[in-house]
Amino acid sequence: LKLYIHSARAVTRGVHWRAAAMASRQGDATTALHVLEQHIAGEVTEANALPQLLHCYHRDPRLVLAALSEKINSVVANADTGSVATQTGQLLVNVAKLLDERLAEEAAAQGKEQKPGSAKSLSRSLLDHVLLLTGGKNRAAKENSVRSQGCSLVAALVPSAPDHPTARDKLVEFSMDKMPGIRETAVRGLGSINATPAVEQAIVARCTDPFTAVRFSAVRSAIVTGATAPALLKRLDDIEACVRAQIYYTLAKQPESMQEFGPAALARLVVGLLDRSGQVRQGAGLAVDAWCKRLCGGSALLLLSRCDVTSDEALGDAAAAALAARFPEEGADLAQRLFGGSRPQRGDQATIADGLHATLLARHALAAMSDEDRDEIVDIPILLQRATEALGKASSRPNGALILRQYLHIVLSVDFCDEASRRRAERLAEAVLMRAPIDHQNSNDLIMNNNGNRYSSADLGILILRKCIGLSRGFQARTAKHQALEAQCSTRAVLLVSDLCQPLQGGGGGQTSSEGEEDDGEGHFATRLSFRLQEINNAIEDRKHQQKALAEQKRKAVANEEFIQAQKIKEVANKTNIELAALTKEQGSLQAERDTILLRVLAILRALLKWSQSDLQKDPAQSGTLDQILRPVVSLPALSDEVEIATISAICLFCSRDGESARGHWCLLLELLRSLRQDDEPSQPLSKRRHSRARAAIAARTLADCALVHGSRGALDREEIVSAAHALAAVPFPSRHIVVESLCSWFFGLGHVFFEEHLREPVLEVQWALGWMLVEAFKQQGFADADDDGDDAASTTKAVGVANSAAATKARSRGASWVTRPPPMQMLEDRDEAAADDEEDSAQSMATAARLMQFFNLLPKLPGKHSAPMLSLAVESIAESGLWRRAVLLPQVVGGKARWVRGFSWPQLFHFAHDRLSPEMCFRLWRCSLQLCVADPALANFAEVPFALAEMVKEAPPGAADLLREAVALGADAAALHPLLARIPPEQREAPPPQGATHLVAQAQARAAERERRAVLAEQGVDIDTWAPAEVQAPDILPPHHRMKMGKAGAAPKKRAANAENAGPIVPPSTWSAINAQVPQEQEDPKQEPKRRRCVGKTKDVEPRLPLRNIR
């Protein structure tokens, strides 16, 4: 009995103990949950809540985790509450992080080490729970608010577990979400994840996001590596200053990442010190200071020595100027060592005095000083001595010509206080003109006008000579004294040219023809060399033809087994090869001898014409060079391309200076520009195309300059002025970028001339130029617009897997235009030539679009009544010539993926013009847009013309409602245009159209008018079919974002026909009685059977539904 009682008491105590333990555990859980609720509600402060939760965590960690998880569940479930849920979720994350920090401090006090993000971490366990709530990999909630809340929680908890693989994959998935806010939060979270290729690719993909906040976060989260560095460099051209500044802040935090950038990229980064935004300049200063301190020993010169200053001289000058302004003391010390009274030590001679980077930095440091400081540092005799030494070494050492130009810049910036220094500087200028290395012109720079601000050695020599004579670079009044000094300078330069021409007049290969003797007797230097060179060229051609004939004879002799004859032919062929080698060697020597002197002569004349302000009528020395030198040179036989370009440049400078010369060479300039139609064909050799483009670029700039300068003075009549615009407008499609700046200059200065002539009689060629320039301003390089929410996620998902988007872009095939593409086999054969071709690439196209956007932004603001109508005429030209078909969305396979691509965005163009025009001009925009809907309703929908009208319907001009009714009556898509009528403001819905407004025409008449316009443009030399096709077949499917927009509007794609039928015809107003009577009206056929629905199962036949208009 005692044993039984003892056992019963033990059992009772066990039951009570278990019950007490369970009650205690439930109480702790309730306590933890209650503390969290009070802390969330603000009833308990953080200082009081954390000790209680820490006490509960020590007793049972699972209870605190369960309480946090329960609250996280509530936060995600109520994510649609917005900021309340976001703040609550952030508070719970902070609680978990603080508890982990307290636990880590306690472990450290006990001598235990606990790594952050370990398996025992509360934040990591909570992160696992949040990942379950987000759906896991490749699964997510449909509601945007739930996805956003889940992404915020994951991004906030990831820093506590940077090696969590599931969290990494989920954030990469969130970075491709269609919502910009979710992408931005995911990218911020990826910045705390350990770097992996997937993370780097996701960040690189978001660096080109259309939303600024996403790009900013992507740049901020990037870890600079070889994979992310190219994407960061592209963001240096971002339109937002905050993105550009964040690049430098990111680089300042990672100064060792400078090793990832090459010399050219580093120079581009240093130029950020001169950015137009103060925020960017501040960030660039922090990055440059970090680089100098950590990697360059605090020396700006060592940093500059890592930059590439030779490939792009303008970029190198900008980088040196930025560093000189950032480190003025080091620049002044370097200038003192180079040009001061004390010469540098012998050990520093090779590294300091002869260094390109040191000379460049010292030059810009001196340029930033005041005149007093510069005169105090520079010792003029030492400077002139160094410049003379640099001239002697210019041809023998690397970058000698560039180092010489730096010395000449410094000589040009100092003042000569004594006659001895002036005479030494004058002798230096003459020596530079006679012996300095020739600066060869790059054809690409001539085409794009990239060397406009670059000073050649001849330019600097002429400027120093002018300074020694007493002439400055600034404007000076044309007094008799000034004209005498100008004539003196011209005489000195022409005398130098005559000294250079003497060797060509007396020697060079002997006289070979009586014609050569006559030309040489008239003073045409280089004629003997040129005729001898022509004879050698003819002999070389004969030897080459003879080689081909001998090879054919030898092949036939071997085939006929006449081996003795074959041996004889072989001996003759060997002799021919020896003769050919000798002729080729003689050709090279003669051409080098002639071209070297001719290029130096032409360089001196170009520099003289460029910087001289002399009156050519009172300067016989300068004006006589046109007849005595330039015209004879351009008529020489066997002229090389470089000499021809240099001669044409000099003649064009004469034309810009003198109206009579411009009128005399006007036909030549027009012919040089029109020759592009034959010389710029894809079948022509690449060298010939480049040469033709270089000539045309020079002629285009000269035509615009002469029309602006001499047109206002009366030297050119109105017909000649308009002819310049005709020639500029009719360039071929591949060469359009050559004339963009010239056309902009012509329209800015002479737009009123075009408008007056257009009012008398339409000038279709010039209006055509306005149209294609506006199209180029809105040209799109990539896919459809980024606001296409439906397709954005899918396209971005595939874009993450592309490692190098730049390489994929370059690999894209290009044809003569956006319409024609070379066949696959031809692409493979011409790949090498296409890689070297100077066709317009993406960067060049975007730069041209930016310049044209500035032009059209300024065009409506110009004084006069012609400015705004010119923008309207540009839009009408696009609509009436067929250029609008370039805005049609077409499915194409780009990089192995199906994409909807287009040449430009019609909605963006329409919105741009609509915001800048008056209501009367806006009515013309609506009329030409609705005429497109009438002429080709299906294709207009794919060009998004109705979408463009829908965006501006609240600002519709008076008479727009009548246009809509008339367009539907003429056959436009009623389903697309009917909703616009109801959205027009009531006060404008019945407003009459402007006086004199024209009506819409029927489809057949519109197409006939377009064919006639295209024929007229073709007669004027415009290859209209290359710019835009006459016919484009509408795709059979709709783009995804079109389906989404139709779905949001309540019209599914398959019900468009029914909607159009139910809408009924929109009757035009009685005021517009001139509607074409031949418009077909819909009539119902009572015998036509209604379309029956597809039956999936066995169902009984039902009566078809009648159209709504038949229900009474």
Side-chain angles (χ1 to χ4, degrees):
L1 181 60
K2 291 181 179 180
L3 180 60
Y4 173 76
I5 294 173
H6 179 74
S7 301
R9 289 178 179 176
V11 171
T12 303
R13 283 197 301 269
V15 171
H16 286 295
W17 180 83
R18 286 193 298 272
M22 185 176 298
S24 176
R25 188 179 296 109
Q26 292 177 355
D28 291 341
T30 305
T31 302
L33 189 60
H34 183 64
V35 170
L36 282 176
E37 291 177 351
Q38 289 182 332
H39 183 42
I40 293 171
E43 299 176 0
V44 178
T45 62
E46 183 178 301
N48 295 329
L50 285 181
Q52 299 180 43
L53 292 174
L54 189 62
H55 175 73
C56 295
Y57 185 84
H58 282 307
R59 297 195 62 176
D60 193 347
R62 294 175 297 177
L63 299 179
V64 179
L65 179 60
L68 288 173
S69 301
E70 184 175 350
K71 286 301 176 184
I72 288 290
N73 294 342
S74 301
V75 167
V76 175
N78 298 277
D80 54 353
T81 57
S83 60
V84 177
T86 303
Q87 294 174 3
T88 304
Q90 188 62 40
L91 189 145
L92 295 174
V93 172
N94 292 339
V95 167
K97 290 183 178 180
L98 289 174
L99 287 176
D100 286 339
E101 292 177 1
R102 294 289 181 85
L103 292 173
E105 293 175 359
E106 293 179 359
Q110 297 174 5
K112 300 178 181 179
E113 183 179 359
Q114 183 178 359
K115 297 182 180 180
S118 60
K120 298 181 180 180
S121 172
L122 182 61
S123 299
R124 189 182 185 96
S125 302
L126 189 61
L127 177 59
D128 293 332
H129 180 74
V130 172
L131 290 172
L132 291 176
L133 294 179
T134 57
K137 188 175 182 180
N138 298 329
R139 296 183 65 184
K142 183 178 180 180
E143 292 78 7
N144 297 335
S145 59
V146 176
R147 295 200 313 277
S148 178
Q149 186 62 56
C151 181
S152 300
L153 293 173
V154 174
L157 290 169
V158 152
S160 301
D163 57 344
H164 201 294
T166 308
R168 177 195 62 208
D169 296 339
K170 194 62 183 178
L171 285 177
V172 170
E173 180 182 341
F174 275 132
S175 69
M176 299 177 285
D177 195 271
K178 66 179 182 180
M179 298 298 297
I182 298 177
R183 298 200 299 270
E184 190 270 337
T185 306
V187 170
R188 280 194 286 110
L190 287 174
S192 304
I193 292 286
N194 293 339
T196 62
V199 173
E200 291 179 351
Q201 291 175 8
I203 292 177
V204 167
R206 291 305 102 209
C207 283
T208 57
D209 196 273
F211 291 89
T212 303
V214 182
R215 298 197 305 273
F216 176 86
S217 297
V219 171
R220 184 178 182 181
S221 303
I223 298 177
V224 184
T225 61
T228 59
L232 293 178
L233 283 177
K234 289 183 179 180
R235 289 303 95 209
L236 290 176
D237 297 325
D238 198 283
I239 193 174
E240 298 294 339
C242 62
V243 179
R244 302 197 304 272
Q246 187 57 47
I247 296 174
Y248 291 102
Y249 289 128
T250 301
L251 295 176
K253 295 178 181 178
Q254 309 172 40
E256 65 281 353
S257 63
M258 187 184 71
Q259 307 293 343
E260 300 292 341
F261 298 99
L266 190 58
R268 180 68 180 86
L269 289 169
V270 171
V271 174
L273 292 170
L274 305 177
D275 194 89
R276 60 183 180 273
S277 173
Q279 183 182 5
V280 181
R281 293 196 298 269
Q282 181 181 2
L286 294 176
V288 169
D289 292 343
W291 292 338
C292 289
K293 182 178 180 181
R294 293 283 297 274
L295 301 174
C296 300
S299 173
L301 179 57
L302 292 180
L303 179 59
L304 183 62
S305 64
R306 291 172 174 259
C307 300
D308 182 9
V309 297
T310 58
S311 299
D312 190 345
E313 294 187 21
L315 183 62
D317 284 340
L323 290 176
R326 185 74 179 178
F327 304 95
E329 296 180 357
E330 182 179 352
D333 180 67
L334 183 61
Q336 177 70 32
R337 298 172 65 186
L338 282 173
F339 313 114
S342 59
R343 297 179 64 89
Q345 300 296 328
R346 183 177 300 274
D348 298 335
Q349 183 72 25
T351 59
I352 300 290
D354 294 338
L356 170 61
H357 299 87
T359 310
L360 186 61
L361 185 61
R363 168 207 157 189
H364 286 283
L366 290 173
M369 295 180 184
S370 61
D371 294 339
E372 293 79 6
D373 295 339
R374 188 186 307 114
D375 294 338
E376 183 179 354
I377 289 178
V378 177
D379 189 343
I380 294 180
I382 292 180
L383 173 62
L384 295 176
Q385 180 182 354
R386 298 280 178 81
T388 305
E389 293 174 358
L391 176 61
K393 300 178 182 179
S395 301
S396 60
R397 65 177 175 178
N399 301 319
L402 185 55
I403 296 176
L404 173 63
R405 287 201 294 272
Q406 309 310 314
Y407 281 104
L408 296 179
H409 275 289
I410 300 172
V411 172
L412 189 60
S413 64
V414 299
D415 295 328
F416 308 118
C417 302
D418 56 286
E419 183 64 19
S421 299
R422 189 195 67 80
R423 290 182 177 179
R424 289 186 62 183
E426 189 173 359
R427 290 195 297 269
L428 174 63
E430 294 179 355
V432 167
L433 294 176
M434 298 291 289
R435 295 189 287 112
I438 301 173
D439 299 321
H440 297 277
Q441 293 180 321
N442 189 357
S443 59
N444 291 337
D445 292 339
L446 289 173
I447 293 171
M448 300 307 301
N449 197 20
N450 292 332
N451 56 351
N453 298 326
R454 179 175 174 270
Y455 289 80
S456 65
S457 300
D459 291 332
L460 294 171
I462 288 292
L463 288 174
I464 295 174
L465 183 62
R466 289 173 59 85
K467 185 173 184 177
C468 295
I469 292 176
L471 299 170
S472 62
R473 281 185 288 178
F475 175 77
Q476 292 179 337
R478 290 190 175 183
T479 60
K481 180 180 179 180
H482 175 262
Q483 180 59 39
L485 294 177
E486 290 284 358
Q488 180 183 354
C489 180
S490 301
T491 303
R492 293 287 297 275
V494 172
L495 289 176
L496 293 176
V497 169
S498 63
D499 293 340
L500 289 171
C501 297
Q502 285 180 0
L504 295 181
Q505 293 179 358
Q511 188 68 17
T512 58
S513 65
S514 59
E515 182 181 359
E517 293 176 357
E518 294 176 0
D519 291 340
D520 189 68
E522 295 175 2
H524 296 177
F525 63 93
T527 305
R528 293 179 179 178
L529 287 178
S530 298
F531 276 101
R532 175 58 182 163
L533 194 59
Q534 185 180 22
E535 292 179 359
I536 294 176
N537 292 340
N538 295 334
I540 289 176
E541 291 296 326
D542 293 340
R543 298 301 188 279
K544 289 182 178 180
H545 289 300
Q546 187 177 357
Q547 278 184 333
K548 294 181 180 179
L550 291 173
E552 182 65 21
Q553 294 176 9
K554 179 181 176 181
R555 185 185 63 80
K556 292 181 179 179
V558 172
N560 297 331
E561 297 183 357
E562 299 176 356
F563 299 109
I564 298 177
Q565 182 67 20
Q567 180 63 27
K568 294 180 180 180
I569 296 175
K570 182 179 178 181
E571 293 175 357
V572 175
N574 292 337
K575 183 179 179 181
T576 304
N577 292 338
I578 295 174
E579 295 175 356
L580 182 60
L583 289 173
T584 304
K585 183 178 180 180
E586 184 180 1
Q587 179 195 35
S589 61
L590 287 178
Q591 186 166 352
E593 180 184 357
R594 185 197 63 175
D595 290 357
T596 300
I597 299 180
L598 286 180
L599 289 175
R600 187 177 298 278
V601 168
L602 294 171
I604 295 174
L605 293 180
R606 289 201 311 272
L608 180 63
L609 291 168
K610 184 188 299 183
W611 299 107
S612 175
Q613 300 178 11
S614 175
D615 186 359
L616 293 180
Q617 304 298 330
K618 301 177 181 179
D619 193 345
Q622 188 172 347
S623 60
T625 56
L626 178 62
D627 295 328
Q628 297 177 9
I629 298 177
L630 297 180
R631 286 178 178 170
V633 168
V634 81
S635 60
L636 288 175
L639 203 61
S640 62
D641 292 345
E642 188 175 3
V643 174
E644 182 181 0
I645 292 295
T647 309
I648 292 174
S649 300
I651 293 175
C652 289
L653 285 173
F654 258 106
C655 296
S656 300
R657 293 279 306 279
D658 182 47
E660 293 298 328
S661 299
R663 182 185 287 272
H665 294 85
W666 198 254
C667 295
L668 171 65
L669 297 176
L670 294 177
E671 184 60 28
L672 289 176
L673 194 56
R674 291 168 181 167
S675 63
L676 282 175
R677 303 172 189 174
Q678 292 80 25
D679 298 340
D680 203 13
E681 294 292 334
S683 58
Q684 298 292 337
L686 180 59
S687 58
K688 184 177 181 180
R689 296 177 63 188
R690 288 181 175 176
H691 178 63
S692 178
R693 289 186 184 184
R695 293 187 313 178
I698 298 171
R701 289 191 290 269
T702 306
L703 284 172
D705 294 342
C706 292
L708 290 171
V709 175
H710 305 311
S712 59
R713 300 176 181 175
L716 298 176
D717 55 20
R718 176 163 292 201
E719 182 179 355
E720 290 172 331
I721 293 174
V722 177
S723 66
H726 288 178
L728 293 172
V731 294
F733 180 85
S735 308
R736 62 197 180 280
H737 56 274
I738 295 175
V739 299
V740 166
E741 292 187 1
S742 302
L743 279 172
C744 292
S745 302
W746 194 94
F747 280 118
F748 272 143
L750 301 169
H752 62 282
V753 177
F754 157 68
F755 191 67
E756 293 171 1
E757 294 293 329
H758 190 77
L759 290 179
R760 297 190 185 98
E761 183 179 358
V763 187
L764 298 183
E765 307 96 306
V766 185
Q767 186 184 2
W768 157 260
L770 280 172
W772 70 255
M773 289 169 64
L774 187 58
V775 167
E776 289 296 315
F778 289 90
K779 182 178 180 180
Q780 294 191 350
Q781 294 293 325
F783 309 135
D785 290 341
D787 56 359
D788 304 337
D789 295 339
D791 196 48
D792 185 74
S795 62
T796 312
T797 304
K798 297 181 179 180
V800 172
V802 180
N804 191 351
S805 59
T809 304
K810 290 183 179 179
R812 211 176 303 165
S813 60
R814 293 182 180 272
S817 71
W818 76 285
V819 182
T820 60
R821 300 290 182 189
M825 293 303 297
Q826 183 180 352
M827 286 166 40
L828 292 176
E829 295 174 358
D830 300 341
R831 180 173 298 175
D832 295 337
E833 181 177 351
D837 195 3
D838 56 347
E839 289 288 344
E840 183 182 22
D841 56 2
S842 179
Q844 175 184 330
S845 178
M846 290 297 100
T848 303
R851 290 196 294 267
L852 288 173
M853 187 61 69
Q854 294 175 356
F855 167 74
F856 283 106
N857 270 318
L858 293 174
L859 184 62
K861 303 176 184 178
L862 295 178
K865 298 182 180 180
H866 66 281
S867 55
M870 286 174 63
L871 181 57
S872 176
L873 288 174
V875 181
E876 294 176 20
S877 174
I878 297 171
E880 295 172 0
S881 62
L883 269 177
W884 68 276
R885 293 187 181 90
R886 292 184 60 179
V888 175
L889 284 165
L890 297 174
Q892 291 186 7
V893 178
V894 180
K897 306 169 187 176
R899 292 289 184 267
W900 289 86
V901 298
R902 59 185 172 189
F904 71 98
S905 172
W906 179 270
Q908 292 181 7
L909 187 149
F910 186 84
H911 187 275
F912 175 85
H914 203 280
D915 287 344
R916 289 160 177 79
L917 296 178
S918 61
E920 292 79 9
M921 294 291 103
C922 289
F923 180 83
R924 298 175 65 94
L925 299 184
W926 278 69
R927 187 189 66 82
C928 68
S929 298
L930 290 173
Q931 187 64 66
L932 299 180
C933 297
V934 173
D936 200 335
L939 213 58
N941 291 336
F942 283 95
E944 299 185 339
V945 177
F947 292 163
L949 297 175
E951 291 178 0
M952 307 302 300
V953 69
K954 294 184 179 180
E955 303 176 9
D962 296 342
L963 282 176
L964 285 171
R965 298 187 186 99
E966 186 183 10
V968 174
L970 289 173
D973 191 352
L977 299 181
H978 177 69
L980 303 181
L981 187 61
R983 295 173 57 187
I984 294 180
E987 62 273 10
Q988 298 183 4
R989 194 172 301 169
E990 302 299 333
Q995 296 182 357
T998 58
H999 303 284
L1000 300 177
V1001 297
Q1003 185 181 90
Q1005 298 178 3
R1007 294 186 175 181
E1010 180 183 334
R1011 288 194 297 268
E1012 182 180 358
R1013 189 184 188 96
R1014 294 172 68 95
V1016 172
L1017 290 174
E1019 292 177 358
Q1020 299 297 329
V1022 178
D1023 190 3
I1024 186 68
D1025 293 330
T1026 307
W1027 287 86
E1031 297 291 339
V1032 174
Q1033 186 177 1
D1036 297 331
I1037 58 176
L1038 290 177
H1041 62 284
H1042 282 201
R1043 293 195 296 267
M1044 288 193 62
K1045 290 180 179 180
M1046 295 173 62
K1048 292 178 182 178
K1054 296 183 179 180
K1055 299 181 181 180
R1056 292 187 62 183
N1059 292 338
E1061 183 183 6
N1062 294 339
I1066 301 179
V1067 182
S1070 57
T1071 56
W1072 289 59
S1073 57
I1075 302 177
N1076 195 343
Q1078 287 79 18
V1079 177
Q1081 300 292 336
E1082 293 185 359
Q1083 297 181 359
E1084 296 184 5
D1085 187 2
K1087 298 181 181 181
Q1088 183 179 3
E1089 296 183 0
K1091 184 176 181 180
R1092 305 183 64 177
R1093 296 185 177 182
R1094 179 182 178 184
C1095 297
V1096 180
K1098 294 182 179 180
T1099 57
K1100 296 182 179 180
D1101 294 337
V1102 295
E1103 293 294 332
R1105 296 180 58 185
L1106 295 176
L1108 295 180
R1109 61 184 181 185
N1110 292 340
I1111 298 179
R1112 297 291 185 266

